[in-house]
Amino acid sequence: MKTVSIVISAYNEEGNIEKLYEELEKELSKVSNVAFEILFVNDGSKDQTFQKIEKLIEKDSRVKMVNLKRNFGHEIAMTAGMDYAKGDAVIFMDADLQHPPVYIPEMVKSWQEGYEIVLTKRVDNVATSWFYKLCAKTFYWLLNLLSETKIPESMPDFRLIDRRYVDFLKGFNEQDRLFRGLLSWIMPNDKVKVIDFVAPVRFSGTTKYSFIKSLQLAISSITQFSVRPLRLATYLGFAGAACSVLLGLYVIFEHFIQHNPTPGYATIVSVVGFVGALQLITLGIVGEYIGKIHMEVKKRPLYLADLIEQNQKDDHFEK
Ligand code: UDP
Ligand code: MG
């Protein structure tokens, strides 16, 4: 019998674990001819998430936990889950019930029909404000403008991936990773199905992505998939040089032809200030990339984890 692993990343989700398990149990019982592995990834939670998952492991042998030794972030948590998942297909989902388990039977059925990747498209997210939606839109517009790998908007990490593509994804070793970007990189043209859904509000707790954290993720996503911002420095340099030449010509014209010398330090101060700011911005962009190289060349393990399942406990350094 084929198996499907369900990988659930959880960071401080104590209020959601039991409810999610209940819903999963209900939905998984509707699927026949498939065995399930429910793999929680505890991403260094500081609340009772670990204990709640442990309780589930005691009563249900399908439940396992990849326990990360500290908080490594959602992207690494999904990577750890993918590395430990044994299934012929892997479903990724959040722990807060914003990825409703009710869609799992349809995802599995599509996979059984031959689709190798089943994506979900969030047609609406009732939990987010117009400001967040605007920021997300701007981010995806900028990302797709700058990057050759196109990453569609509103495609959350709730998806099923066949083992063949899971193995491809395991081939990416970068520290700094945007899962949906990596998936776009390997996305086939066929055998992909998209299921629409409306994301409900979180069942319990609050979002783990503050505005600053989202901004950091946005900047690192752009640098991961594009070097075009680096070229911006060159373009700005050319544009600045052209402006200086034009300004020089204007000053000469005023002085010798119009006999009206351009007065004042104000122009000089603003030009110097503007050029200084441009230099700082471009230095910042270059710095972002150098920082990334610095982190990547060390080739540190992506995470440190152990696997907890019924009657067994392993310690691992991974990758
Ligand atoms: N998450 C995680 N590690 C983190 C942050 C979040 O594993 O450092 C998990 C979190 O528990 C949730 C999922 O990633 O299951 C998505 O996070 P969240 O719901 O806060 O994001 P949002 O839905 O608000 O974008
Ligand atoms: Mg959420």
Side-chain angles (χ1 to χ4, degrees):
M1 190 163 30
K2 295 235 174 187
T3 50
V4 173
S5 304
I6 301 178
V7 167
I8 306 154
S9 338
Y11 175 52
N12 293 346
E13 302 284 8
E14 60 182 4
N16 291 315
I17 302 296
E18 279 153 8
K19 173 76 178 160
L20 176 65
Y21 175 73
E22 267 170 38
E23 300 258 320
L24 278 174
E25 216 184 8
K26 195 168 79 196
E27 297 306 327
L28 301 189
S29 67
K30 295 178 188 165
V31 184
S32 49
N33 295 330
V34 171
F36 286 96
E37 171 187 56
I38 305 174
L39 194 57
F40 283 95
V41 183
N42 175 33
D43 188 12
S45 300
K46 295 175 187 74
D47 63 359
Q48 294 293 305
T49 301
F50 178 90
Q51 288 80 355
K52 299 255 170 182
I53 301 171
E54 247 190 345
K55 279 216 175 85
L56 297 178
I57 294 173
E58 276 166 27
K59 72 170 186 185
D60 186 343
S61 62
R62 294 176 302 175
V63 181
K64 298 170 188 174
M65 168 164 49
V66 177
N67 187 40
L68 299 183
K69 298 293 186 184
R70 61 174 169 81
N71 179 248
F72 283 87
H74 187 202
E75 301 290 330
I76 297 290
M78 282 190 288
T79 306
M82 176 175 75
D83 289 342
Y84 279 91
K86 295 203 181 93
D88 299 297
V90 180
I91 294 177
F92 295 87
M93 67 192 300
D94 289 356
D96 57 1
L97 290 123
Q98 287 199 292
H99 297 164
V102 70
Y103 292 96
I104 291 179
E106 192 181 343
M107 290 167 105
V108 175
K109 190 164 164 271
S110 307
W111 173 64
Q112 286 168 324
E113 284 166 3
Y115 290 100
E116 290 185 302
I117 295 181
V118 184
L119 303 169
T120 59
K121 185 170 168 37
R122 205 167 35 206
V123 287
D124 195 15
N125 188 345
V126 291
T128 52
S129 64
W130 65 266
F131 176 69
Y132 179 89
K133 283 178 189 162
L134 183 72
C135 288
K137 264 210 157 10
T138 315
F139 161 66
Y140 277 102
W141 171 76
L142 200 62
L143 180 61
N144 286 319
L145 182 78
L146 293 171
S147 162
E148 276 118 49
T149 305
K150 301 295 171 212
I151 303 173
E153 204 192 323
S154 305
M155 293 283 203
D157 295 307
F158 185 29
R159 54 175 80 96
L160 178 148
I161 306 177
D162 183 79
R163 169 58 51 192
R164 202 157 73 91
Y165 284 93
V166 168
D167 288 341
F168 287 150
L169 282 170
K170 285 168 84 172
F172 289 92
N173 283 311
E174 54 231 71
Q175 294 266 343
D176 196 21
R177 44 179 54 221
L178 182 70
F179 224 83
R180 59 193 75 173
L182 300 181
L183 188 63
S184 287
W185 202 90
I186 58 160
M187 190 68 78
N189 292 325
D190 58 350
K191 296 188 179 171
V192 178
K193 182 169 178 180
V194 180
I195 297 174
D196 289 350
F197 83 109
V198 176
V201 286
R202 241 176 183 280
F203 180 70
S204 164
T206 52
T207 179
K208 311 296 178 276
Y209 284 96
S210 61
F211 182 72
I212 293 292
K213 222 171 151 188
S214 304
L215 192 66
Q216 281 167 352
L217 184 70
I219 293 175
S220 100
S221 308
I222 289 172
T223 52
Q224 277 171 60
F225 287 96
S226 173
V227 289
R228 282 186 192 162
L230 285 174
R231 261 171 242 148
L232 201 68
T234 321
Y235 298 147
L236 284 176
F238 278 122
C243 289
S244 312
V245 170
L246 287 178
L247 187 67
L249 287 175
Y250 171 74
V251 170
I252 291 169
F253 174 78
E254 283 281 278
H255 189 91
F256 290 106
I257 315 285
Q258 304 281 76
H259 301 292
N260 177 25
T262 310
Y265 63 92
T267 336
I268 298 170
V269 171
S270 50
V271 169
V272 169
F274 180 68
V275 172
L278 282 190
Q279 284 176 338
L280 279 180
I281 292 170
T282 46
L283 260 179
I285 295 173
V286 175
E288 279 287 331
Y289 283 91
I290 294 177
K292 293 277 141 84
I293 298 169
H294 174 73
M295 297 310 287
E296 294 288 344
V297 290
K298 294 186 211 177
K299 293 214 180 306
R300 287 189 179 160
L302 286 182
Y303 54 83
L304 179 56
D306 54 17
L307 178 71
I308 300 172
E309 55 188 323
Q310 269 188 8
N311 310 322
Q312 204 179 328
K313 194 173 166 179
D314 287 343
D315 270 311
H316 289 288
F317 279 95
E318 267 308 311
K319 280 207 164 174

